Amino acid sequence: DQRPGPDDHHEHPGHGDSAAGMMAMMMSMCLGVVLLFAVIASPDMLARARQLVAHHGWTNIHLVEANADGVALDAGAVDAVLCFCTHDIMQSGAAIETAAAALRQGGRIVAAGAKRTTGLRGLVLNPVTVTCSRTAISNFDGFDRPWAHLERRLGPLEVEERLWGTACIARGIKT
């Protein structure tokens, strides 16, 4: 059984994207996670997340106002890390190191988001992908392989491309 146990803890670093916050909260509800830390840097998005948590009465979700590259979590304190549409965070070596340090041995990390595709479809789709991503991404460095920093830290990842190569899901386990 791969479902989390009663002592499982999870971290969701994000820049405050409401979809990312919702993913973290759904993860908590669906997986039966006892404790979830949602790391949100934006005071406005943090306020929205607090309203959502209060509205639903979720007592197992702890909202932390911090940047993902400097959040204070104990080493090995979390069982899983979810990075959903957090390209800028995935390009920060400090944020990846912080997340990996907080992840316990055998813990899992999943990162999903937009990416640049290649070939002829890239000629058509990349301008659309970049335009749609501009509101959430401040730096398009690494947009070809957004999981590269994570792969350097954890080793080989399972990477699945979606939407004709304009999105990806990268999964890894800390060994």
Side-chain angles (χ1 to χ4, degrees):
D1 184 16
Q2 304 238 342
R3 292 181 57 95
D7 296 323
D8 286 352
H9 301 93
H10 300 265
E11 173 193 16
H12 170 71
H15 60 11
D17 178 82
S18 59
M22 284 302 298
M23 288 298 295
M25 291 168 202
M26 287 190 314
M27 184 172 100
S28 176
M29 292 171 17
C30 295
L31 297 177
V33 174
V34 172
L35 182 61
L36 183 132
F37 297 91
V39 180
I40 303 171
S42 164
D44 292 338
M45 292 309 295
L46 182 62
R48 289 174 61 184
R50 283 187 174 134
Q51 289 173 344
L52 188 62
V53 168
H55 174 75
H56 290 284
W58 295 325
T59 58
N60 62 326
I61 298 177
H62 296 273
L63 301 171
V64 179
E65 184 174 3
N67 288 319
D69 58 356
V71 65
L73 292 172
D74 293 335
V78 299
D79 298 298
V81 174
L82 170 65
C83 299
F84 183 75
C85 292
T86 55
H87 178 80
D88 290 354
I89 291 170
M90 294 302 296
Q91 300 312 302
S92 166
I96 295 300
E97 186 55 42
T98 298
L103 193 60
R104 71 166 168 79
Q105 294 290 22
R108 297 167 190 242
I109 188 164
V110 176
K115 67 174 279 300
R116 187 176 289 121
T117 192
T118 59
L120 290 176
R121 65 182 162 182
L123 293 173
V124 174
L125 297 175
N126 287 339
V128 175
T129 303
V130 169
T131 299
C132 291
S133 300
R134 283 200 189 284
T135 60
I137 298 175
S138 64
N139 182 345
F140 284 88
D141 290 348
F143 205 49
D144 296 341
R145 291 177 39 91
W147 60 86
H149 285 292
L150 183 60
E151 190 170 54
R152 278 192 291 279
R153 177 57 173 84
L154 294 182
L157 304 174
E158 178 184 330
V159 178
E160 181 181 341
E161 289 191 354
R162 296 287 182 105
L163 299 172
W164 305 285
T166 64
C168 64
I169 302 170
R171 299 174 196 84
I173 298 174
K174 183 176 178 180
T175 56

